Coordinates of all heavy atoms in Angstrom, one line a residue:
D407 N -23.8 -4.9 61.5 CA -25.1 -4.7 61.0 C -26.0 -3.8 61.9 O -27.1 -3.4 61.5 CB -25.8 -6.1 60.7 CG -27.1 -5.9 59.9 OD1 -27.1 -5.1 58.9 OD2 -28.1 -6.5 60.2
K408 N -25.4 -3.4 63.0 CA -26.1 -2.5 63.9 C -25.9 -1.1 63.5 O -24.7 -0.8 63.2 CB -25.6 -2.7 65.4 CG -26.0 -4.1 65.9 CD -25.5 -4.3 67.4 CE -25.9 -5.6 67.9 NZ -25.4 -5.7 69.4
V409 N -26.8 -0.3 63.6 CA -26.7 1.1 63.2 C -27.1 2.0 64.4 O -28.0 1.6 65.2 CB -27.5 1.5 61.9 CG1 -27.0 0.8 60.7 CG2 -29.0 1.2 62.1
S410 N -26.6 3.2 64.4 CA -26.8 4.1 65.6 C -27.9 5.1 65.4 O -28.1 6.0 66.2 CB -25.5 4.8 66.0 OG -25.1 5.6 65.0
W411 N -28.6 5.0 64.3 CA -29.6 5.9 63.9 C -31.0 5.3 63.8 O -31.0 4.0 63.7 CB -29.3 6.7 62.6 CG -28.8 5.8 61.5 CD1 -29.6 5.0 60.7 CD2 -27.4 5.5 61.2 NE1 -28.8 4.3 59.9 CE2 -27.5 4.5 60.1 CE3 -26.2 5.8 61.7 CZ2 -26.4 4.0 59.6 CZ3 -25.1 5.3 61.1 CH2 -25.1 4.4 60.0
P412 N -32.0 6.0 63.9 CA -33.4 5.4 63.8 C -33.8 5.0 62.5 O -33.1 5.3 61.5 CB -34.3 6.6 64.3 CG -33.6 7.8 63.9 CD -32.1 7.5 64.1
D413 N -34.9 4.3 62.4 CA -35.5 3.8 61.1 C -36.1 5.0 60.4 O -37.3 5.1 60.3 CB -36.5 2.8 61.4 CG -37.1 2.1 60.2 OD1 -36.8 2.6 59.1 OD2 -38.0 1.2 60.3
N414 N -35.2 5.8 59.9 CA -35.6 7.0 59.1 C -34.6 7.4 58.1 O -33.5 7.6 58.4 CB -35.8 8.2 60.1 CG -36.3 9.5 59.4 OD1 -35.5 10.1 58.8 ND2 -37.5 9.8 59.6
E415 N -34.9 7.4 56.9 CA -33.9 7.6 55.8 C -33.1 8.9 55.9 O -31.9 8.9 55.8 CB -34.6 7.5 54.4 CG -33.5 7.6 53.3 CD -34.2 7.5 51.9 OE1 -35.4 7.3 51.8 OE2 -33.5 7.5 50.9
K416 N -33.9 10.0 56.2 CA -33.2 11.3 56.3 C -32.2 11.3 57.5 O -31.1 11.8 57.3 CB -34.3 12.4 56.5 CG -33.7 13.8 56.5 CD -34.8 14.8 56.6 CE -34.2 16.2 56.6 NZ -35.2 17.3 56.6
E417 N -32.7 10.8 58.6 CA -31.8 10.7 59.7 C -30.5 9.8 59.5 O -29.4 10.0 60.0 CB -32.5 10.3 61.0 CG -33.5 11.3 61.5 CD -32.8 12.6 62.0 OE1 -31.8 12.6 62.5 OE2 -33.3 13.6 61.6
D418 N -30.8 8.8 58.8 CA -29.8 7.8 58.4 C -28.7 8.5 57.6 O -27.5 8.4 58.0 CB -30.4 6.6 57.5 CG -29.5 5.6 57.1 OD1 -28.4 5.9 56.7 OD2 -29.9 4.4 57.1
L419 N -29.0 9.2 56.5 CA -28.1 9.9 55.7 C -27.4 11.0 56.4 O -26.1 11.2 56.3 CB -28.7 10.4 54.4 CG -29.4 9.3 53.6 CD1 -30.2 10.0 52.4 CD2 -28.3 8.4 53.0
K420 N -28.1 11.7 57.3 CA -27.5 12.8 58.0 C -26.5 12.3 59.0 O -25.4 12.9 59.1 CB -28.7 13.5 58.8 CG -28.2 14.7 59.6 CD -29.5 15.4 60.3 CE -29.0 16.6 61.2 NZ -30.1 17.1 61.9
K421 N -26.7 11.2 59.7 CA -25.8 10.6 60.6 C -24.5 10.2 60.0 O -23.4 10.4 60.6 CB -26.4 9.4 61.4 CG -25.6 8.9 62.5 CD -25.4 9.9 63.6 CE -24.6 9.3 64.8 NZ -24.4 10.3 65.8
R422 N -24.6 9.7 58.8 CA -23.4 9.2 58.1 C -22.5 10.4 57.8 O -21.3 10.4 57.9 CB -23.7 8.5 56.8 CG -24.5 7.2 57.0 CD -25.0 6.6 55.7 NE -25.9 5.5 56.0 CZ -25.7 4.2 56.0 NH1 -24.5 3.8 55.9 NH2 -26.6 3.4 56.3
C423 N -23.1 11.6 57.4 CA -22.4 12.7 57.1 C -21.7 13.3 58.4 O -20.6 13.8 58.4 CB -23.3 13.8 56.4 SG -23.8 13.2 54.8
E424 N -22.6 13.3 59.5 CA -22.0 13.8 60.8 C -20.8 13.0 61.2 O -19.9 13.6 61.8 CB -23.1 13.7 61.8 CG -24.2 14.8 61.7 CD -25.3 14.6 62.7 OE1 -25.2 13.7 63.5 OE2 -26.2 15.5 62.8
I425 N -20.8 11.8 61.0 CA -19.6 10.9 61.5 C -18.4 11.3 60.8 O -17.4 11.5 61.4 CB -20.0 9.4 61.3 CG1 -21.1 8.9 62.3 CG2 -18.7 8.6 61.5 CD1 -21.6 7.5 61.9
T426 N -18.4 11.4 59.5 CA -17.3 11.8 58.7 C -16.8 13.2 58.9 O -15.7 13.5 59.1 CB -17.4 11.4 57.2 OG1 -16.2 11.7 56.5 CG2 -18.5 12.3 56.6
N427 N -17.8 14.1 59.0 CA -17.5 15.6 59.2 C -16.9 15.8 60.6 O -16.0 16.6 60.8 CB -18.8 16.4 59.0 CG -19.1 16.5 57.6 OD1 -18.4 16.2 56.7 ND2 -20.4 16.8 57.4
N428 N -17.4 15.1 61.7 CA -16.9 15.3 63.0 C -15.5 14.7 63.2 O -14.7 15.1 64.0 CB -17.8 14.6 64.0 CG -19.2 15.3 64.2 OD1 -19.3 16.5 63.8 ND2 -20.2 14.7 64.7
A429 N -15.2 13.7 62.4 CA -13.9 13.1 62.4 C -12.9 13.9 61.6 O -11.7 13.5 61.5 CB -13.9 11.7 61.9
K430 N -13.4 14.9 60.8 CA -12.6 15.7 59.9 C -11.8 14.8 59.0 O -10.6 15.0 58.7 CB -11.5 16.5 60.7 CG -12.2 17.6 61.5 CD -11.3 18.5 62.3 CE -11.9 19.7 62.9 NZ -13.0 19.4 63.8
A431 N -12.5 13.8 58.4 CA -11.9 12.9 57.4 C -11.4 13.6 56.2 O -12.0 14.6 55.7 CB -12.9 11.9 57.0
D432 N -10.4 13.1 55.6 CA -9.8 13.7 54.3 C -10.6 13.0 53.1 O -10.8 13.7 52.1 CB -8.4 13.3 54.2 CG -7.5 13.9 55.3 OD1 -7.5 15.2 55.3 OD2 -7.0 13.2 56.1
I433 N -11.0 11.8 53.3 CA -11.7 11.0 52.2 C -12.9 10.3 52.8 O -12.8 9.7 53.8 CB -10.7 10.0 51.6 CG1 -9.6 10.8 50.9 CG2 -11.5 9.1 50.7 CD1 -8.5 9.9 50.2
F434 N -14.0 10.3 52.0 CA -15.2 9.6 52.4 C -15.5 8.7 51.2 O -15.7 9.1 50.1 CB -16.3 10.6 52.6 CG -17.7 9.9 52.9 CD1 -18.0 9.5 54.2 CD2 -18.6 9.8 51.8 CE1 -19.3 8.9 54.4 CE2 -19.8 9.3 52.0 CZ -20.2 8.8 53.3
I435 N -15.7 7.4 51.6 CA -15.9 6.3 50.6 C -17.3 5.6 50.9 O -17.3 5.0 52.0 CB -14.8 5.2 50.5 CG1 -13.5 5.9 50.1 CG2 -15.2 4.2 49.4 CD1 -13.3 6.3 48.7
S436 N -18.3 5.8 50.1 CA -19.5 5.1 50.4 C -19.6 3.9 49.5 O -19.5 4.1 48.2 CB -20.7 6.1 50.2 OG -21.9 5.5 50.6
I437 N -19.9 2.7 49.9 CA -19.9 1.5 49.1 C -21.3 1.0 49.0 O -22.0 0.8 50.0 CB -19.0 0.5 49.8 CG1 -17.5 0.9 49.8 CG2 -19.0 -0.9 49.0 CD1 -16.6 0.1 50.6
H438 N -21.6 0.8 47.7 CA -23.1 0.3 47.4 C -23.1 -0.7 46.2 O -22.1 -0.9 45.5 CB -23.9 1.4 46.9 CG -24.3 2.4 48.1 ND1 -25.5 2.4 48.7 CD2 -23.5 3.4 48.7 CE1 -25.5 3.3 49.6 NE2 -24.4 3.9 49.6
C439 N -24.2 -1.4 46.1 CA -24.5 -2.3 45.0 C -25.6 -1.8 44.2 O -26.6 -1.2 44.9 CB -24.8 -3.8 45.5 SG -23.6 -4.5 46.5
N440 N -25.6 -1.8 42.9 CA -26.7 -1.4 42.1 C -27.7 -2.6 41.9 O -27.4 -3.8 42.2 CB -26.2 -1.0 40.7 CG -26.5 0.5 40.5 OD1 -27.6 0.9 40.8 ND2 -25.7 1.2 39.7
S441 N -28.9 -2.3 41.4 CA -29.9 -3.3 41.1 C -30.8 -2.8 40.1 O -31.0 -1.6 39.9 CB -30.7 -3.7 42.3 OG -31.4 -2.7 42.9
D442 N -31.5 -3.7 39.4 CA -32.4 -3.4 38.3 C -33.4 -4.5 38.1 O -33.0 -5.6 38.4 CB -31.7 -3.0 37.0 CG -32.6 -2.3 36.0 OD1 -33.3 -2.9 35.3 OD2 -32.5 -1.0 36.0
N443 N -34.6 -4.2 37.7 CA -35.6 -5.2 37.4 C -35.1 -6.1 36.3 O -35.5 -7.3 36.2 CB -36.9 -4.6 37.0 CG -37.6 -3.9 38.3 OD1 -37.3 -4.4 39.4 ND2 -38.4 -2.9 38.1
D444 N -34.3 -5.6 35.4 CA -33.7 -6.3 34.2 C -32.5 -7.1 34.6 O -31.5 -6.3 34.9 CB -33.5 -5.4 33.0 CG -33.1 -6.2 31.8 OD1 -32.7 -7.4 31.9 OD2 -33.0 -5.5 30.7
P445 N -32.5 -8.3 34.8 CA -31.3 -9.0 35.3 C -30.1 -9.0 34.4 O -29.0 -9.4 34.8 CB -31.8 -10.4 35.5 CG -32.9 -10.6 34.6 CD -33.6 -9.3 34.6
K446 N -30.3 -8.5 33.1 CA -29.2 -8.5 32.2 C -28.3 -7.3 32.3 O -27.2 -7.3 31.9 CB -29.8 -8.5 30.7 CG -30.5 -9.8 30.4 CD -30.9 -9.7 28.9 CE -31.7 -11.0 28.5 NZ -32.2 -11.0 27.2
I447 N -28.9 -6.2 33.0 CA -28.1 -5.0 33.2 C -27.0 -5.2 34.3 O -27.3 -5.8 35.4 CB -29.0 -3.8 33.6 CG1 -30.0 -3.5 32.5 CG2 -28.2 -2.6 34.0 CD1 -30.9 -2.4 32.8
K448 N -25.9 -4.8 34.0 CA -24.7 -5.0 34.8 C -23.7 -3.8 34.7 O -23.9 -2.9 33.8 CB -24.0 -6.3 34.4 CG -23.4 -6.3 33.0 CD -22.9 -7.6 32.6 CE -21.7 -8.0 33.5 NZ -21.1 -9.3 32.9
G449 N -22.7 -3.7 35.6 CA -21.8 -2.6 35.4 C -21.3 -2.0 36.7 O -22.0 -2.0 37.7
I450 N -20.2 -1.3 36.6 CA -19.5 -0.5 37.7 C -19.7 0.9 37.4 O -19.4 1.4 36.3 CB -18.1 -0.9 37.8 CG1 -17.9 -2.4 37.8 CG2 -17.4 -0.2 39.0 CD1 -16.4 -2.8 37.4
E451 N -20.0 1.8 38.4 CA -20.0 3.2 38.3 C -19.6 3.9 39.6 O -19.9 3.4 40.7 CB -21.4 3.7 37.8 CG -22.5 3.5 38.7 CD -23.9 3.8 38.1 OE1 -24.1 3.4 36.9 OE2 -24.7 4.4 38.8
T452 N -18.9 5.0 39.4 CA -18.4 5.7 40.6 C -18.9 7.2 40.5 O -18.8 7.8 39.5 CB -16.8 5.7 40.6 OG1 -16.4 4.3 40.5 CG2 -16.4 6.3 42.0
W453 N -19.4 7.7 41.6 CA -20.0 9.0 41.7 C -19.1 10.0 42.4 O -18.5 9.6 43.6 CB -21.4 8.9 42.4 CG -22.3 8.2 41.6 CD1 -22.4 6.8 41.5 CD2 -23.4 8.7 40.8 NE1 -23.5 6.5 40.6 CE2 -24.1 7.6 40.2 CE3 -23.8 10.1 40.5 CZ2 -25.2 7.8 39.4 CZ3 -24.9 10.2 39.7 CH2 -25.6 9.1 39.1
S454 N -18.9 11.2 41.9 CA -18.0 12.1 42.6 C -18.8 13.4 42.9 O -19.9 13.6 42.4 CB -16.9 12.5 41.6 OG -17.3 13.2 40.5
Q455 N -18.2 14.3 43.8 CA -18.8 15.5 44.1 C -18.7 16.6 43.0 O -17.7 16.6 42.3 CB -18.1 16.1 45.4 CG -18.4 15.3 46.7 CD -17.4 15.6 47.7 OE1 -16.2 15.8 47.5 NE2 -17.9 15.9 49.0
D456 N -19.6 17.4 42.9 CA -19.6 18.5 42.0 C -18.5 19.5 42.3 O -18.4 19.9 43.5 CB -20.9 19.3 41.9 CG -22.0 18.5 41.2 OD1 -21.7 17.6 40.4 OD2 -23.2 18.7 41.6
G457 N -17.6 19.9 41.4 CA -16.6 20.9 41.7 C -15.5 20.5 42.5 O -14.7 21.4 42.9
N458 N -15.4 19.3 43.0 CA -14.3 18.9 43.9 C -13.3 18.1 43.1 O -13.6 16.9 42.7 CB -14.8 18.1 45.1 CG -13.7 17.8 46.1 OD1 -12.6 17.4 45.7 ND2 -14.1 17.9 47.4
L459 N -12.1 18.7 42.8 CA -11.2 18.0 41.8 C -10.6 16.7 42.5 O -10.4 15.7 41.7 CB -10.1 19.0 41.5 CG -10.5 20.2 40.7 CD1 -9.3 21.1 40.4 CD2 -11.1 19.8 39.4
K460 N -10.4 16.7 43.7 CA -9.9 15.5 44.4 C -10.9 14.4 44.4 O -10.5 13.2 44.1 CB -9.5 15.9 45.9 CG -8.3 16.7 46.1 CD -7.0 16.1 45.4 CE -5.7 16.9 45.6 NZ -4.6 16.2 45.1
S461 N -12.1 14.7 44.6 CA -13.2 13.7 44.5 C -13.2 13.1 43.1 O -13.3 12.0 42.9 CB -14.5 14.4 44.9 OG -15.6 13.5 44.5
K462 N -13.1 14.0 42.1 CA -13.2 13.5 40.7 C -12.0 12.7 40.4 O -12.1 11.7 39.7 CB -13.3 14.8 39.7 CG -13.5 14.4 38.3 CD -13.7 15.6 37.4 CE -14.0 15.2 36.0 NZ -14.2 16.5 35.2
E463 N -10.8 13.1 40.8 CA -9.6 12.3 40.6 C -9.7 11.0 41.2 O -9.3 9.9 40.6 CB -8.4 13.1 41.1 CG -7.0 12.5 40.9 CD -5.9 13.3 41.4 OE1 -6.2 14.4 41.9 OE2 -4.8 12.7 41.6
L464 N -10.2 10.9 42.5 CA -10.3 9.7 43.2 C -11.4 8.8 42.5 O -11.1 7.5 42.3 CB -10.7 9.9 44.6 CG -10.9 8.7 45.5 CD1 -9.6 7.8 45.6 CD2 -11.3 9.1 46.9
A465 N -12.5 9.3 42.1 CA -13.5 8.6 41.5 C -13.0 8.0 40.2 O -13.3 6.8 39.8 CB -14.7 9.4 41.2
K466 N -12.2 8.8 39.4 CA -11.7 8.3 38.2 C -10.7 7.0 38.4 O -10.8 6.1 37.7 CB -11.0 9.4 37.4 CG -10.5 9.0 36.1 CD -9.8 10.2 35.3 CE -9.2 9.8 34.1 NZ -8.6 11.0 33.3
A467 N -9.9 7.2 39.4 CA -8.9 6.1 39.7 C -9.7 4.9 40.1 O -9.3 3.7 39.8 CB -8.0 6.6 40.7
I468 N -10.7 5.0 41.0 CA -11.4 3.9 41.5 C -12.1 3.2 40.3 O -12.1 1.9 40.2 CB -12.4 4.3 42.5 CG1 -11.7 4.7 43.8 CG2 -13.4 3.1 42.8 CD1 -12.6 5.2 44.9
Q469 N -12.7 3.9 39.4 CA -13.4 3.4 38.3 C -12.4 2.6 37.4 O -12.8 1.5 37.0 CB -14.1 4.5 37.5 CG -15.0 4.0 36.3 CD -16.2 3.3 36.8 OE1 -16.7 3.4 37.9 NE2 -16.8 2.4 35.9

Side-chain angles (χ1 to χ4, degrees):
D407 193 38
K408 294 181 180 179
V409 294
S410 60
W411 46 82
D413 181 356
N414 180 285
E415 183 179 0
K416 185 176 181 180
E417 290 300 315
D418 180 318
L419 298 175
K420 182 180 178 182
K421 185 63 177 180
R422 293 172 196 269
C423 295
E424 286 178 355
I425 290 171
T426 185
N427 291 339
N428 289 341
K430 294 181 171 55
D432 299 295
I433 292 173
F434 174 82
I435 303 286
S436 190
I437 299 172
H438 288 260
C439 303
N440 240 325
S441 67
D442 195 275
N443 291 329
D444 184 350
K446 293 181 181 179
I447 293 179
K448 60 188 300 187
I450 308 157
E451 60 190 45
T452 310
W453 295 77
S454 67
Q455 293 165 310
D456 290 332
N458 188 317
L459 295 179
K460 288 298 182 183
S461 171
K462 186 174 182 180
E463 183 182 348
L464 179 57
K466 183 178 179 180
I468 291 173
Q469 185 69 23

